[in-house]
Amino acid sequence: MTTHRNIRQGGKPRVGTRGYADVERAREQLEAAGAERGRSPFSSGASEAYHWALGRAERSPVTGAGGGEGVPDLYKLTAEVDAAVVQMDEPVSRPGPRDHTRGVHDALAWVCGYRDEAP
């Protein structure tokens, strides 16, 4: 079995395609903005996504998948982005949960390199 490690040369950890410190900084900025304006479902979802991507949550934010320790690899991060897309496309989803899922999606899409700007 092949193990995928989230460490680039030089030993600095990676979270998807981003540096660990970059993801931590994005999470901190999101938290600071939420403290000033109040937390919306979108920012709550993005914060939950960053928390999981940094290896600080037992379960993933959309699928609830668990079992991993530490920073999830790019395959797991991408699978969670895909699950968020499916969930957002549900015609019966309500605006609050849909906004939460969009926050998860946008944060993880940035982590995976699909977006240029962090939410």
Side-chain angles (χ1 to χ4, degrees):
M1 182 172 146
T2 303
T3 302
H4 299 281
R5 303 205 61 207
N6 294 332
I7 299 177
R8 65 179 144 164
Q9 287 184 334
K12 296 183 181 180
R14 302 291 292 174
V15 179
T17 62
R18 309 290 176 183
Y20 190 93
D22 295 330
V23 178
E24 180 63 33
R25 190 174 314 109
R27 186 198 63 77
E28 288 171 353
Q29 290 173 345
L30 183 72
E31 294 290 326
E36 288 178 15
R37 295 178 288 202
R39 288 179 59 118
S40 67
F42 178 90
S43 64
S44 178
S47 179
E48 189 177 338
Y50 288 141
H51 191 74
W52 175 68
L54 290 165
R56 298 179 186 159
E58 292 181 24
R59 302 234 173 253
S60 61
V62 176
T63 63
E69 288 187 23
V71 175
D73 63 25
L74 188 57
Y75 299 117
K76 289 179 185 173
L77 292 164
T78 302
E80 202 70 7
V81 170
D82 292 343
V85 169
V86 169
Q87 202 171 82
M88 287 186 303
D89 284 344
E90 287 291 320
V92 295
S93 66
R94 296 183 325 259
R98 183 178 292 158
D99 291 344
H100 181 271
T101 303
R102 180 163 301 285
V104 171
H105 171 273
D106 288 3
L108 293 181
W110 175 74
V111 166
C112 292
Y114 301 135
R115 296 175 51 100
D116 291 331
E117 299 292 322

